[in-house]
Amino acid sequence: MKRLVIISNRVPPMKTRGRAAAGGLAAGLSSALKAFGGLWFGWSGEVKDTQETKVSTHRQDNYTLATLHLSRENHEEYYNGFANRALWPLCHYRPNLVAYDRSFGVGYYRVNVLFAEAVMPLLEAEDTIWVQDYHLIPLGAELQRLGAKQKMGFFLHIPWPASELVITLPEHRALVRALFAYGVVGFQTDRDVQSFLDYVIREADGALEPDGRVTCFGRTIHVKAFPIGIDAGSIATLATQPEATAHAVRLVDSLAGRQLIIGVDRLDYSKGIDRRFSAYAKLLGKYPEHRAKVSLLQIAPPSRMEVSAYRAMRRELERLLGRINGEFADYDWVPLRYVNKTYNHTALAGLYRTARVAFVTPLRDGMNLVAKEFIAAQDPEDPGVLVLSRFAGAARQLREALIVNPFDEQSMVDALHRGLKMPLEERKSRWRSLMTNVEEHDIDRWRESFLNTLTAA
Ligand code: F6P
C-alpha cells in the first residue's frame, strides 16, 4: 500500500492547539496513520455562517491533516440532525430518542457530497481510502460517482442494530446500498455483522457467497468484525510517567485512604451513567460498610449539547448527583464526585491506576475503549477490577471482567461489592487474562487486519 487516506467526521487535535482527543476514534486512528503516513481528512470542528469549500491543510507527525468547516445549516442537519438525532440513537437501540426530520437526510447527503468533492483533488491513484463511522456512510459511493477508482473500506465504530430498528429509518435502503460501494465493510463485533447480514438477506434479497463474501445491489463485498483495540504498551507506559503519577498522587491524597470507583465517558445517554449512579446509591444503602470508605469519581465531558436528549441527560445526572450526595455525604466525605472536564490520556492513565474498580456500564456501546485503557493502566502487582456491561462490544473479549446487565441494578450492585472486596490473588489472575487479551487484540492488529483484508479484496 502506497498511501493511506483516512476520512472521518472528527480529526485528531492539531498539535498547535494541543486539545485532547474527543473520543476513541481519534485516539485509535492517530496511531494507525502515524505508522503509515498519508492523509487524514475531516471536519475542522468549526461552524461558520457560510460554507467555505476551501480545505485547510496542516502537516503533523508524518501525515497531512486536511479539514473543512461546516456551515450552520450543514452542522445542524448533518451532525446534530441525521448523525446524532437519527443514526446515533437508532444504532444504540433508543428509537424513542430518534427525532427525525426529512431535512436531516438531505443535509446528511449534502455534506457527504461536499466531503467527496473536497477530498477528491487530494487523492492519488494508488491511495487506499479508509472511511470511518456513521457520519460518512454514503461517502464512498459519492467518491465513485466522481470517478474515484481507489480501494475503499469502511469501518463502523458504533453498533449495527437489529433490522427491525434499521427499517424505521426512511433512508434505510439507500444507506445500506451505499455501504456496498466499499470493498470491505467492518464492524466491531460478530453480533453487528449478524445484524447487518440479517438486513441484507431478509430485507434486501442479498446472499452470502460460499467464500464468505456478501452480494447485494449488484456488488460483492467483504463484511467482517474487526474489534478495535488500543495501544496497550503506550498506555501502560503513560500510567507510570511523572505527569500521570502527579495526578494519581493528588487523587490518592484527596481520597484519604478510601477506595476509588471510576467512570469515564462522554456525557451520553448510551453510557448508562444515570443507572450507574443509582446502582452506586443502592450499594451505599445495601452495604453500609462501604459508606465513607469508597468514592465514585465520574468524569463526563459534555458532548453534543445542541441535541436536547443530551441536555436532558445532563439535567438528570445533576439531579441524581444532588440526591445521592445529599442523602449519603458527611462533612468529611463526598460519595460521588462528578466532573465535566476533559483530561488528557496521561492524566487518565494515572487516575485509572489509582482506582480499585472501573465502572463501565453502557446500555449499548460499539466497543468501549475506556474498559481496555483501564486494564492497560493497572499496576500488575495491585490491579483494579473491571465491572463491564454485557452490552459493550468489549464484553465479548474481556470475559474475565465482572460482566453486568446495566438494566438489572442488582447485578451492578453485587458486582461493585464483589469488586471492592476482591482478594489480591483473584484481582491479579483476572487482570493477567484481561491484559493478555488487550495486548493481543491491540490497535496494530485492528489496523493490520482491516487493511490486509482491504488490500487483498
Ligand atoms: O466513537 C463514536 C464517536 O461518534 C466518534 O465517531 C466520535 O469521534 C466520538 O464518538 C465523539 O463524538 P463526537 O465526535 O460527536 O464529539
Side-chain angles (χ1 to χ4, degrees), residues 9-10 22-23 25 79 84 88 133-135 157-158 266 303-304:
N9 178 60
R10 287 275 173 198
L25 187 153
Y79 176 76
N84 290 323
W88 181 275
D133 229 354
Y134 61 106
H135 314 85
H157 290 252
I158 66 174
R266 269 185 318 99
S303 143
R304 307 174 191 167

Side-chain angles (χ1 to χ4, degrees), residues 350-390:
L351 305 184
Y352 289 144
R353 201 173 170 93
T354 306
R356 170 52 54 87
V357 173
F359 202 13
V360 186
T361 55
L363 305 180
R364 194 64 67 164
D365 212 338
M367 178 53 61
N368 197 294
L369 296 181
V370 166
K372 296 188 173 183
E373 287 172 3
F374 171 78
I375 295 301
Q378 294 308 296
D379 174 357
E381 295 310 316
D382 186 19
V385 177
L386 176 62
V387 174
L388 180 60
S389 162
R390 59 173 295 170

Side-chain angles (χ1 to χ4, degrees), residues 340-358:
N340 286 145
K341 270 168 77 166
T342 303
Y343 294 92
N344 65 28
H345 268 97
T346 314
L348 286 178
L351 305 184
Y352 289 144
R353 201 173 170 93
T354 306
R356 170 52 54 87
V357 173

Side-chain angles (χ1 to χ4, degrees), residues 185-405:
V185 172
F187 294 97
Q188 295 278 24
T189 67
D190 286 336
R191 181 160 293 168
D192 301 307
V193 171
Q194 284 311 320
S195 301
F196 181 73
L197 293 182
D198 179 68
Y199 177 98
V200 168
I201 293 164
R202 292 200 305 139
E203 296 288 334
D205 288 333
L208 206 52
E209 300 297 334
D211 65 1
R213 290 183 303 155
V214 184
T215 300
C216 201
F217 304 109
R219 301 280 302 257
T220 300
I221 66 169
H222 292 261
V223 176
K224 248 185 96 180
F226 301 92
I228 196 169
I230 59 165
D231 185 348
S234 84
I235 301 275
T237 310
L238 276 186
T240 56
Q241 297 294 300
E243 187 192 331
T245 308
H247 285 282
V249 167
R250 242 179 87 193
L251 179 56
V252 168
D253 284 352
S254 77
L255 287 167
R258 297 184 178 101
Q259 289 190 319
L260 178 72
I261 303 170
I262 196 166
V264 179
D265 311 80
R266 269 185 318 99
L267 208 166
D268 194 301
Y269 50 80
S270 66
K271 304 292 182 183
I273 307 173
D274 50 349
R275 289 173 182 268
R276 189 180 307 171
F277 281 8
S278 299
Y280 176 62
K282 265 279 166 52
L283 173 88
L284 298 177
K286 184 173 173 195
Y287 298 103
E289 62 188 281
H290 294 303
R291 291 190 202 160
K293 297 282 188 297
V294 64
S295 279
L296 167 59
L297 168 62
Q298 176 64 53
I299 297 175
S303 143
R304 307 174 191 167
M305 280 298 145
E306 284 159 340
V307 178
S308 61
Y310 287 75
R311 293 195 299 276
M313 182 77 226
R314 188 175 196 174
R315 283 193 301 275
E316 174 59 7
L317 292 180
E318 286 164 359
R319 190 187 68 77
L320 280 170
L321 172 79
R323 184 177 71 67
I324 294 166
N325 279 341
E327 184 176 347
F328 293 104
D330 213 330
Y331 55 79
D332 58 352
W333 171 55
V334 179
L336 178 47
R337 303 175 183 193
Y338 174 62
V339 181
N340 286 145
K341 270 168 77 166
T342 303
Y343 294 92
N344 65 28
H345 268 97
T346 314
L348 286 178
L351 305 184
Y352 289 144
R353 201 173 170 93
T354 306
R356 170 52 54 87
V357 173
F359 202 13
V360 186
T361 55
L363 305 180
R364 194 64 67 164
D365 212 338
M367 178 53 61
N368 197 294
L369 296 181
V370 166
K372 296 188 173 183
E373 287 172 3
F374 171 78
I375 295 301
Q378 294 308 296
D379 174 357
E381 295 310 316
D382 186 19
V385 177
L386 176 62
V387 174
L388 180 60
S389 162
R390 59 173 295 170
F391 300 111
R396 304 178 79 79
Q397 296 175 298
L398 303 181
R399 307 228 180 229
E400 298 299 318
L402 299 183
I403 303 293
V404 296
N405 173 1

